[in-house]
Amino acid sequence: MDIRNIAIIAHVDHGKTTLVDNILKSSKIFRENQESGDLIMDSNDLERERGITIFSKNAAVTYKDVKINVIDTPGHADFGGEVERVLKMADGVILLVDAFEGPMPQTRFVLQKALGLNLKPIVVINKVDKDNCRPDEVHDAVFELFFNLDATEEQLEFPTFYGSGKQGWFNDSLTPTDNIEPLMEGILKYVPAPKVSEGTLQLQVTSLDYSSFLGRIAIGKVTRGSIKENQPFSLVQADGTIKKQRVKELYVFEGMGKRKVTEVLAGDLCAVVGVEGFNIGDTIADFENPEALPIISVDEPTMNMMFSINNSPFFGKDGKFVTSRHLRDRLIKETEKNLALRVRDTDSADSFLVYGRGILHLGVLIETMRREGYELTVGQPQVLVKEIDGKKCEPYEILVIDVPEEFASKAIDLVSRRKGEMILMETKGEMQHIEFEIPSRGLIGLRTNMLTATAGEAVMAHRFSEYKPWKGSIPGRNNGVLLSKEAGETTGYSLDKLQDRGFFYVDPGEAVYAGMIIGENNKPGDLVVNPNEGKKLTNHRASGSDAATSIAPKTLMTLEECMEYIQHDECIEVTPNFIRMRKVVLDENERNKLAKQMKAQDA
């Protein structure tokens, strides 16, 4: 059977998953009366809630007797590791670009990886139905991007399609049609059939699936030979060890699901059941003469966080998995499929250092764990510092901000305070497009401040650039926090009296404990307050003092906002139903002692 393997790559929110929806609907894999919904491939709860793709997924459609394997990839820079490994399965890529925004940081990152693997690109300029779109300028910008990334002559002659995923049409000109057939024809015409070399079986595991019935399932592309049901094979691992095993079942992708088969030939993607103890990057090879494929290399993590057991007074009240053994097993299991993640043991048996690509990457892991019933404490995110040529170096990122003109000066001021340097500023329609080079540390906590300063209008994106010399100290949070003095339930009476001190993260009637952060102070420096005090009930009434209390509702913080908010002496308690911020040392006297010791050491 004729096959095409294609990955869809783009910056976040440029319409990858909507394009996959259109491909699935155009190939009639749903019945006429079947309700398919939108963003069909974003099946995970977290993906649907956030409206982003986190995990890459496979689907397969048949068009004019040609099987097209489609790989949907994430667009966030934090999930770049996910994109890097699945590109190994593709022979061509559809580079999707927004007709207004043009190429963005993540577009550059994933395109560079695709061109490096010599994949054939097709450029699709999406959202041409939007007001103030500029498809011709964007086409020129994409060509310039290809040129800057040292694309070959052949890659520079990329075909371009225009259209609107929302309206369900794509064409090789700006003339609207009523379907996406021109694009499907383009895939058949421009994407090469898989290159198949002669020889014995080779299949690199580039992804994995899990089934409660079948266990872990290895997914990859058969690059050489063929694989059959019940066939013995050798599993060649990264360190060179070879395990002899046997295939139990074989599946190929069909529509949104999988179909069981007895043999898969070179060039097709398949799922293999019965492979034990494999990792992503291992090679399933011939039983007699195993030959390994090159190991998948993934960029290094740039950030780490301390994960510990929950040791707050509310330990064990909410979660199902609370011990360090539970925590360690879950983190090790995550590293099997999350290639950009690393886990290291620390001096304490209860704490582990987890390395990741960014706040969102680690935040999604924590959010997934709390939904599974885990209780844990996480510390402030830290960037990874390296020594290069005897100099202390830290990771830098290219930060791109699109902001209305009247807020441009505020955006530049905010980034400059965090040691960012402006490298480009240009006008895009009604927006100012500004690019900075900024230490990764400077990005922590920047998004919230930026959205506040620009009335929510700023669009930010960033990608890792390189390690450069340390830039000195970067100012953190300006204000201190309000801390609870003792355990108990907050009262409306007490919170009402404290409102002039700051704003709160708790409502009346919530359980708190000593050392827990219950609000933000209006001034620098932390303040210990008593939010649990009730009104003294005497038989004397002061006139007018019994008026109803009017308390501002609590400020809600997402997990990522909490991660960006906390300082080095604070941490976040995460349980299935609560996210609480607290001091690492809960006792006020102990905290003061430690602070004095630290001052003495500095002096």
Side-chain angles (χ1 to χ4, degrees):
M1 189 179 185
D2 212 357
I3 292 172
R4 300 285 185 277
N5 298 319
I6 192 151
I8 299 179
I9 58 175
H11 187 78
V12 67
D13 266 350
H14 280 199
K16 292 177 299 298
T17 307
T18 308
L19 173 61
V20 177
D21 286 0
N22 282 313
I23 292 174
L24 291 170
K25 285 171 182 169
S26 73
S27 58
K28 308 273 190 295
I29 68 160
F30 301 108
R31 295 189 313 276
E32 290 296 324
N33 62 347
Q34 187 175 348
E35 184 61 48
S36 59
D38 293 330
L39 306 178
I40 307 160
M41 296 292 274
D42 283 351
S43 49
N44 180 282
D45 288 346
L46 262 179
E47 292 180 313
R48 286 204 163 275
E49 281 171 31
R50 291 166 183 251
I52 58 171
T53 303
I54 297 171
F55 308 104
S56 64
K57 298 173 204 67
N58 299 57
V61 298
T62 305
Y63 179 76
K64 294 196 173 171
D65 295 332
V66 178
K67 180 180 181 184
I68 302 173
N69 284 310
V70 183
I71 306 159
D72 183 17
T73 64
H76 268 283
D78 283 25
F79 307 114
E82 194 83 6
V83 183
E84 285 170 61
R85 61 183 171 84
V86 296
L87 285 179
K88 285 270 185 144
M89 293 196 276
D91 300 296
V93 290
I94 290 181
L95 177 71
L96 204 64
V97 186
D98 186 299
F100 169 68
E101 290 184 351
M104 295 288 277
Q106 184 67 2
T107 318
R108 185 189 181 94
F109 170 80
V110 287
L111 180 61
Q112 195 169 10
K113 299 286 177 194
L115 294 177
L117 289 167
N118 220 7
L119 301 179
K120 177 75 182 167
I122 294 176
V123 173
V124 175
I125 295 177
N126 190 20
K127 305 191 185 183
V128 297
D129 56 319
K130 274 169 78 173
D131 298 337
N132 67 21
C133 66
R134 39 194 198 100
D136 295 333
E137 284 176 50
V138 167
H139 180 268
D140 295 343
V142 172
F143 183 85
E144 203 174 305
L145 177 63
F146 271 78
F147 186 76
N148 292 340
L149 293 175
D150 299 330
T152 61
E153 290 286 328
E154 193 187 349
Q155 286 171 332
L156 280 171
E157 290 173 14
F158 54 82
T160 307
F161 291 84
Y162 301 88
S164 160
K166 198 173 173 185
Q167 294 177 355
W169 68 271
F170 287 99
N171 200 356
D172 51 8
S173 68
L174 280 163
T175 316
T177 59
D178 55 359
N179 56 38
I180 67 161
E181 281 197 6
L183 177 59
M184 300 299 280
E185 293 289 345
I187 292 174
L188 302 193
K189 182 178 172 185
Y190 297 111
V191 177
K195 288 191 186 77
V196 177
S197 47
E198 290 298 312
T200 53
L201 166 66
Q202 273 188 328
L203 180 153
Q204 186 159 40
V205 181
T206 46
S207 194
L208 63 84
D209 201 354
Y210 183 80
S211 152
S212 47
F213 297 106
L214 304 168
R216 291 170 76 225
I217 302 168
I219 296 172
K221 176 175 149 191
V222 184
T223 48
R224 210 170 72 179
S226 69
I227 185 165
K228 298 186 181 75
E229 196 176 37
N230 218 18
Q231 171 184 343
F233 64 87
S234 300
L235 181 71
V236 188
Q237 298 196 296
D239 56 3
T241 53
I242 296 174
K243 295 179 180 173
K244 305 290 187 188
Q245 299 186 15
R246 187 179 290 274
V247 178
K248 286 183 185 164
E249 290 177 11
L250 271 181
Y251 293 86
V252 291
F253 294 96
E254 191 170 87
M256 297 287 298
K258 302 185 187 81
R259 175 170 60 88
K260 193 174 176 187
V261 290
T262 53
E263 183 179 16
V264 179
L265 301 175
D268 204 354
L269 311 184
C270 69
V272 186
V273 177
V275 191
E276 288 171 18
F278 70 86
N279 290 311
I280 287 172
D282 293 353
T283 307
I284 292 174
D286 185 60
F287 187 75
E288 299 291 338
N289 306 306
E291 291 175 48
L293 285 159
I295 299 299
I296 298 175
S297 63
V298 170
D299 288 355
E300 290 291 306
T302 56
M303 203 169 263
N304 69 17
M305 280 177 84
M306 186 70 81
F307 280 50
S308 315
I309 59 166
N310 180 11
N311 56 4
S312 84
F314 293 166
F315 157 82
K317 285 189 176 180
D318 201 21
K320 215 171 17 172
F321 307 111
V322 293
T323 65
S324 58
R325 184 177 61 83
H326 284 139
L327 186 61
R328 187 175 195 281
D329 290 352
R330 178 66 184 82
L331 290 171
I332 297 300
K333 186 180 163 197
E334 186 66 27
T335 57
E336 291 176 355
K337 64 172 185 286
N338 199 331
L339 281 198
L341 201 77
R342 311 262 191 284
V343 177
R344 301 271 180 276
D345 289 326
T346 61
D347 300 340
S348 160
D350 295 338
S351 302
F352 309 94
L353 262 182
V354 179
Y355 297 78
R357 279 277 177 91
I359 297 264
L360 190 64
H361 185 208
L362 293 165
V364 165
L365 167 64
I366 298 165
E367 185 63 45
T368 310
M369 286 173 66
R370 71 180 275 239
R371 289 178 184 213
E372 290 170 5
Y374 286 84
E375 275 193 24
L376 63 152
T377 305
V378 292
Q380 186 192 25
Q382 306 283 346
V383 299
L384 297 184
V385 180
K386 287 183 180 177
E387 195 163 300
I388 302 171
D389 300 331
K391 283 184 181 170
K392 184 181 178 186
C393 292
E394 62 176 327
Y396 276 65
E397 312 227 358
I398 299 293
L399 169 68
V400 176
I401 301 177
D402 286 317
V403 67
E405 205 166 327
E406 66 264 31
F407 296 123
S409 57
K410 285 185 178 176
I412 294 167
D413 177 51
L414 264 176
V415 179
S416 304
R417 278 194 228 156
R418 291 167 171 264
K419 302 283 199 281
E421 287 178 20
M422 187 162 71
I423 49 179
L424 175 76
M425 185 171 181
E426 58 187 16
T427 306
K428 265 191 191 178
E430 297 163 11
M431 307 285 269
Q432 287 291 331
H433 175 82
I434 319 169
E435 291 189 13
F436 300 89
E437 189 174 56
I438 182 171
S440 297
R441 286 179 299 144
L443 289 170
I444 298 174
L446 177 65
R447 186 177 297 275
T448 315
N449 293 346
M450 183 66 71
L451 290 175
T452 309
T454 61
E457 294 273 351
V459 178
M460 284 173 57
H462 53 87
R463 67 177 174 86
F464 172 70
S465 133
E466 58 181 323
Y467 270 85
K468 285 177 129 187
W470 182 263
K471 206 66 185 284
S473 68
I474 291 176
R477 191 176 67 208
N478 293 328
N479 293 357
V481 288
L482 299 175
L483 299 164
S484 174
K485 187 177 182 182
E486 55 193 44
E489 274 193 11
T490 55
T491 61
Y493 172 78
S494 208
L495 292 184
D496 183 42
K497 294 277 182 281
L498 292 168
Q499 277 190 106
D500 57 347
R501 297 290 190 179
F503 58 85
F504 291 97
Y505 303 130
V506 290
D507 275 335
E510 280 193 36
V512 295
Y513 50 81
M516 179 173 148
I517 297 173
I518 58 166
E520 182 174 303
N521 192 358
N522 284 335
K523 299 174 182 173
D526 298 338
L527 186 66
V528 178
V529 296
N530 183 3
N532 314 333
E533 195 178 2
K535 185 165 186 204
K536 300 286 181 288
L537 298 175
T538 65
N539 55 1
H540 292 286
R541 284 220 183 143
S543 60
S545 66
D546 273 1
T549 55
S550 55
I551 305 168
K554 69 175 178 183
T555 304
L556 293 168
M557 299 268 276
T558 64
L559 179 61
E560 275 88 30
E561 284 169 346
C562 291
M563 286 160 71
E564 293 191 339
Y565 183 79
I566 58 171
Q567 300 296 299
H568 65 93
D569 63 337
E570 296 162 1
C571 57
I572 310 167
E573 174 191 353
V574 181
T575 73
N577 294 310
F578 298 98
I579 294 173
R580 303 182 181 98
M581 292 183 285
R582 48 164 279 201
K583 289 288 181 184
V584 174
V585 178
L586 295 175
D587 185 74
E588 188 184 355
N589 296 328
E590 290 292 325
R591 274 201 307 278
N592 293 339
K593 267 188 208 167
L594 270 175
K596 279 179 186 168
Q597 285 171 8
M598 296 292 280
K599 266 189 186 171
Q601 281 173 10
D602 291 345

